Amino acid sequence: MKKVYSLVNITKAKDQEAVQSICIKQIQLTDQKQEFNKRPTKTGRRSLSRSISQSSTDSYSSVCSDSSEDEISPRDKVQKTSKGLSDFCIKNIKQAEFGRKEIEIAEQEMPALMILKKRAGGEKPLAGAKVVGCTHITAQTAVLIETLVALGAQCRWSACNIFSTQNAVAAALAEAGTSVFAWRGESEDDFWWCIDKCVGARSWQPNMILDDGGDLTHWIYKKYPSMFKRLRGIVEESVTGVYRLYQLSKASRLCVPAMNVNDSVTKQKFDNLYCCKESILDGLKRTTDVMFGGKQVVVCGYGEVGKGCCAALKALGAIVYVTEVDPICALQACMDGFRVIKLSETIRQVDMVVTCTGNKNVVGREHLDKMKNGCIVCNMGHSNTEIDLASLRTVELKWVHVRPQVDHIIWPDGKRIVLLAEGRLLNLSCSTVPSFVLSITATTQALALIELFNAPEGRYKQDVYLLPKKMDEYVASLHLPTFDAHLTELTDDQAKYLGISKHGPFKPNYYRY
């Protein structure tokens, strides 16, 4: 045992007069040197950088882990739940108990789904529904899936993003009896294999689709077109997926009714705006530890996602520029205090580029070549098409994986840019998102499924529809008690004056909010 003494003297700056010793501290030190030398120095299959970065991801459990527990693909494993179910493919079924805790935490922040489960559980409005889903498999999605099951549905699920699956949550879902095919870090081939396993079961045919991005719908059109004869409807929640549905409708190739959840008020004005506002900084901090104060950032797109991102970045002192093609959104950006520029005008000076347009090749090789050393590039849109990654996979550029979801791309002259999540959705790939906001979207999805599944024949044709306004208002009302919010009730005279029912809907369909 070793004793170390430290003496601290404080002196007055004015006359250099010694005051007194204020701290004599005795510290007992064990011989840590010997203990340190006993520790193994080998890191096994992990690189040093990945081992170090793992500690920074432990705080969000299985969300962004880069575990190297083994190198065996989940496709090559034989796994069973405690009840003998083997119709699933995930990373590790042993994580189910931890995943269940994650789901229980999310339930506390998803009041509307809990209310819906309680109110409608006895009625089973989805009895007979066989829902095949392709979304982000997170704790929040698990709450939605288990709500659908409580309402009478059978579910099979795959992931819409190769980086966003929470492995422990997938394990908990499988253990509870849901056939899940997803794990974090899938290859492109794994991604489509999981979707195919999800929909291609011989003994199980879906009659409802819940999609996020349109990949599931696309795969069924491509490989199982006859399946649409049994389908009652599609519920889609992303810009990318909705765009695909409208294309099918325009070409008269949409075989079933589809509900556009993305453009419902409760998705657009809450999930797209507030979710991104609260999660973009989290994703950037966890991957890069960047300081935002004084940084110059360009945000491509000023829709609801862009508005949320800009507000968050500006609040922490970043200097934010906006690119836009829509004059209305551009004017909104100007009046919110942002400079609207072309990307080419500012690309040489910015420290960070964030895309959220829903378009393709918004950031091209010509922009990437002009970026300064250390520029961070990331995407907040659903698809990884916004950054032209194909142009970066060339022999003269070197890719270095430095930590989970972080790659340095190095030019011949030594310049490097920092690419996050390989251009995929930043917040869900690199961090977590607020459960409460996702409760709003998930409740909207559940109601859309109930509406399409129970609609009488002829109510919906082979087209794309928005959720009825009354349902949007109902979803919002379910979340108000959390804030102890009390709505004002219209008098009969006031309702008559406005020409509406005193019970809603309170706004016409063309109202913009």
Side-chain angles (χ1 to χ4, degrees), residues 198-211:
C198 197
V199 301
R202 294 180 181 178
S203 60
W204 194 91
Q205 294 292 320
N207 53 26
M208 296 294 296
I209 293 175
L210 179 55
D211 212 352

Side-chain angles (χ1 to χ4, degrees), residues 244-378:
R244 286 174 159 185
L245 288 175
Y246 280 119
Q247 282 185 315
L248 287 172
S249 178
K250 187 176 181 180
S252 300
R253 293 179 54 212
L254 187 60
C255 305
V256 294
M259 198 69 79
N260 171 4
V261 168
N262 180 72
D263 291 309
S264 66
V265 176
T266 41
K267 168 67 164 63
Q268 191 74 233
K269 295 294 180 177
F270 294 93
D271 191 335
N272 292 16
L273 176 62
Y274 296 108
C275 179
C276 295
K277 182 180 179 180
E278 297 215 7
S279 60
I280 181 176
L281 304 181
D282 195 17
L284 286 165
K285 284 283 190 185
R286 292 188 190 191
T287 48
T288 65
D289 305 309
V290 66
M291 178 178 175
F292 295 101
K295 290 290 193 300
Q296 296 193 60
V297 184
V298 59
V299 175
C300 301
Y302 202 68
E304 297 301 325
V305 172
K307 288 178 174 69
C309 293
C310 287
L313 292 162
K314 182 180 180 180
L316 283 192
I319 301 164
V320 182
Y321 303 94
V322 170
T323 69
E324 251 303 340
V325 298
D326 186 328
I328 296 174
C329 292
L331 184 57
Q332 286 179 315
C334 291
M335 297 188 73
D336 286 337
F338 301 108
R339 278 283 313 280
V340 177
I341 47 85
K342 292 182 178 179
L343 187 57
S344 58
E345 296 171 0
T346 190
I347 196 63
R348 293 182 186 277
Q349 68 192 59
V350 295
D351 303 290
M352 198 179 305
V353 177
V354 182
T355 59
C356 38
T357 67
N359 208 334
K360 62 179 290 189
N361 296 341
V362 176
V363 178
R365 180 62 188 267
E366 68 276 15
H367 302 116
L368 295 158
D369 284 336
K370 294 175 183 176
M371 289 177 183
K372 69 181 185 181
N373 184 50
C375 184
I376 298 169
V377 184
C378 62

